[in-house]
Amino acid sequence: MGRALAALLLAAAAAGAPVVGGDADAHGCITSAGYSWCAPLDKCQRPWESACEDLKETDSDAEKEEEREEGDEEEEEEERVLKLHIIVLTASCLVGVSLLFEITHEHLLEHTSETMRPIIVGLFGELTLLGFIGLTLFLLFKMAWPHELSEEVYGDSTIIPELGESVHMVLFLVMVIFLAQAVYLARLGDRVVQKWKAWESRSLTKVHDKTIRKHKQLQGSSLLSLATHSLDEDVDALMFFLTRDRFCQVRQLHPADFEFASYLGIALGRTLEDLVKVPVKSWVCLEVVLLLAWQIDGLLGKREKMLSWILAGYALPLMAGLVLAKLRRILVQHTAPLLAEAEGRGRPGALRAAANHSVRRVQNGSKSPSPTSPRKVADQKTAVNPTYHHAFWSGSKQKAKFTLFILRFVPLGAAIYIAILLLVHAPALIQGEVLATQPLYQRCSILAVALLPPVLCTFYVREAVDDFAIAGHV
């Protein structure tokens, strides 16, 4: 009985055990043997024997990878060629600008009189310095530290670099405007010298009585009147005659043997050269003014900033007008006693120059002495009288240098004023960022008013330089 029961249990166990090879799936793959269906290869295979991948697709992916690598190499090559083109183009532009700079320099020297050449030489020296400063700023703001400093201070890495770009643009525009002003003054100086030479052919005896009365009226005029009213050309010529007469008398020269107009032309050239040369002291003063303006600018809104800048622009012609009035008063006060002496030597209503026999003139066919060199006399330091220099600002120590120091700020300040006005305030005004409630024609009218100070500066500087050439060198 026990043996029969054991035999039945063994038979049942044998019937429930799986048979190897008897569990094929729907594709006929025997799973018990480790086979599974691979659709890409369309067959049964064991995963550890071979990967279930289509060789065609693998080859296609490899080809795509190769094409991608080739495309990256082509893009890198194109980028390298583009950078090379940019470098060559930039270098070509720099060479072109340098050539243009030199050609302009040579052209101006060739077409400028000898007396006005110092201003061209001095101007290009200052432009070279400004160009070096601009290049230094460009390189500094291309480094990483401006971005890091901007990120640390403002939380934005672009503020300080963008500010550097703006400063670079302003500096470039200042250079262009300063160049235009200097060239204009040099051209104007040639005309002034020609005017003086035309006056030199005249004499005191041909001065009209009406001109004498106008000169006497100027002796009691205020600085405001002298600055706002243009002098009559005949009065200018009268002061030229009287100054030449006194100048030759003090230096024991005869007007017939000395070219006073050429002497003044040399003095005018030196004055213009000093005007475009900005010394260290002027740069320091300008830096102090800009720092003060920066502090004030941080306290104002856009509208107040623009109005303050326009007011600062009008301060420039005011300064130039004050210098012009001072120089005119010096000339009037200097020539007033000379006019009285000339009247005393002549008859009523007529003038007579002082006789000077220290230089022998051509008489009765005698040989004429060689004329005295104006440049040699220009290097002398003899004054028309011992106290003449006290008429200038700052007393006897600086003489006329302080007056020229003040006048030097006007063209440089006007160049900076125009550059910032055109690059900062004019776009904001036209686009409506400032005075947005005003119509466009009113904003354009305000812009026209803002452009007026440089025009006034040009007029005052032109007149002041002419007067300084006489007042500062006799």
Side-chain angles (χ1 to χ4, degrees):
M1 184 66 181
R3 291 181 179 178
L5 181 61
L8 289 174
L9 290 173
L10 289 174
V19 179
V20 177
D23 57 344
D25 61 9
H27 296 283
C29 299
I30 304 173
T31 57
S32 61
Y35 288 94
S36 62
W37 176 253
C38 178
L41 298 179
D42 194 24
K43 68 177 183 177
C44 297
Q45 67 174 22
R46 288 172 174 164
W48 59 85
E49 291 180 349
S50 61
C52 183
E53 294 180 354
D54 190 352
L55 295 178
K56 295 182 179 179
E57 292 183 359
T58 304
D59 294 341
S60 177
D61 293 340
E63 292 176 358
K64 290 180 180 179
E65 183 66 24
E66 291 179 0
E67 292 177 357
R68 188 180 301 109
E69 291 178 356
E70 292 177 357
D72 292 341
E73 291 178 357
E74 291 179 358
E75 289 181 0
E76 291 178 359
E77 180 65 19
E78 291 177 358
E79 185 177 356
R80 188 188 66 81
V81 173
L82 180 61
K83 288 182 179 179
L84 180 61
H85 289 171
I86 293 175
I87 292 174
V88 173
L89 182 61
T90 303
S92 300
C93 291
L94 290 175
V95 172
V97 170
S98 300
L99 289 175
L100 181 63
F101 189 83
E102 289 298 326
I103 292 173
T104 304
H105 188 193
E106 294 176 0
H107 176 80
L108 291 175
L109 287 177
E110 183 180 353
H111 293 82
T112 304
S113 64
E114 184 179 358
T115 56
M116 294 296 110
R117 285 179 184 173
I119 182 178
I120 303 299
V121 175
L123 169 67
F124 276 84
E126 292 299 318
L127 289 180
T128 302
L129 175 61
L130 289 175
F132 175 76
I133 294 174
L135 178 61
T136 303
L137 287 176
F138 175 78
L139 295 177
L140 284 176
F141 283 101
K142 288 299 180 181
M143 296 180 180
W145 68 266
H147 298 272
E148 297 173 357
L149 181 62
S150 180
E151 181 69 29
E152 183 177 352
V153 175
Y154 299 103
D156 188 347
S157 61
T158 61
I159 293 180
I160 292 182
E162 288 178 357
L163 180 62
E165 292 292 334
S166 300
V167 171
H168 191 262
M169 287 296 298
V170 169
L171 187 61
F172 174 77
L173 191 55
V174 168
M175 291 170 56
V176 173
I177 297 172
F178 200 55
L179 172 64
Q181 287 180 330
V183 172
Y184 170 75
L185 290 175
R187 297 299 186 194
L188 188 65
D190 285 333
R191 286 187 230 153
V192 171
V193 173
Q194 295 301 321
K195 178 183 68 174
W196 286 337
K197 289 184 176 180
W199 286 351
E200 199 167 26
S201 61
R202 306 179 191 175
S203 64
L204 276 174
T205 57
K206 297 181 180 180
V207 176
H208 197 273
D209 183 51
K210 184 179 179 181
T211 304
I212 299 175
R213 290 197 303 269
K214 288 182 179 179
H215 185 281
K216 291 180 178 179
Q217 291 174 357
L218 290 175
Q219 297 175 18
S221 299
S222 63
L223 288 176
L224 180 61
S225 178
L226 290 172
T228 55
H229 293 82
S230 298
L231 293 184
D232 188 273
E233 184 175 347
D234 293 332
V235 177
D236 272 339
L238 173 59
M239 290 194 290
F240 175 86
F241 300 146
L242 294 171
T243 304
R244 178 190 63 182
D245 190 40
R246 176 63 175 168
F247 184 88
C248 293
Q249 187 181 23
V250 169
R251 288 170 174 77
Q252 297 183 351
L253 302 169
H254 198 288
D257 300 314
F258 177 70
E259 297 178 357
F260 186 62
S262 298
Y263 165 77
L264 290 182
I266 296 171
L268 179 60
R270 291 181 177 179
T271 301
L272 291 173
E273 180 185 12
D274 291 337
L275 198 66
V276 299
K277 282 185 176 179
V278 185
V280 176
K281 189 181 297 184
S282 299
W283 281 116
V284 172
C285 293
L286 181 62
E287 177 66 18
V288 172
V289 172
L290 290 178
L291 288 176
L292 291 175
W294 175 43
Q295 294 298 320
I296 296 174
D297 183 78
L299 303 175
L300 303 176
K302 287 187 177 181
R303 177 180 177 182
E304 289 75 15
K305 288 178 183 178
M306 185 191 68
L307 295 177
S308 299
W309 190 248
I310 295 175
L311 291 177
Y314 273 93
L316 294 172
L318 180 62
M319 182 189 303
L322 185 61
V323 173
L324 173 62
K326 179 65 174 177
L327 292 171
R328 284 179 173 175
R329 172 167 286 182
I330 291 172
L331 289 175
V332 171
Q333 291 177 347
H334 168 61
T335 54
L338 304 180
L339 178 61
E341 292 176 9
E343 283 184 308
R345 290 189 297 266
R347 61 182 185 276
L351 304 179
R352 182 179 179 183
N356 192 330
H357 302 288
S358 60
V359 178
R360 181 168 57 86
R361 303 184 65 186
V362 180
Q363 292 181 354
N364 300 326
S366 60
K367 186 177 179 181
S368 172
S370 60
T372 306
S373 170
R375 189 170 295 277
K376 181 178 179 180
V377 176
D379 295 329
Q380 298 176 1
K381 300 299 181 182
T382 307
V384 291
N385 62 66
T387 61
Y388 177 75
H389 52 264
H390 288 286
F392 291 89
W393 285 312
S394 78
S396 60
K397 185 177 181 181
Q398 295 293 331
K399 297 183 179 179
K401 292 182 180 179
F402 182 71
T403 305
L404 183 62
F405 178 78
I406 297 175
L407 188 61
R408 185 184 287 117
F409 275 103
V410 177
L412 182 60
I416 296 174
Y417 171 80
I418 297 174
I420 295 181
L421 179 67
L422 294 180
L423 293 178
V424 178
H425 298 294
L429 186 62
I430 294 177
Q431 294 173 6
E433 297 178 10
V434 181
L435 302 177
T437 58
Q438 304 297 326
L440 180 60
Y441 76 91
Q442 289 187 4
R443 298 200 299 270
C444 292
S445 300
I446 294 174
L447 181 59
V449 172
L451 291 173
L452 186 59
V455 179
L456 297 176
C457 287
T458 302
F459 169 77
Y460 283 129
V461 170
R462 179 190 67 188
E463 297 289 331
V465 168
D466 296 351
D467 290 344
F468 185 86
I470 301 176
H473 295 86
V474 297

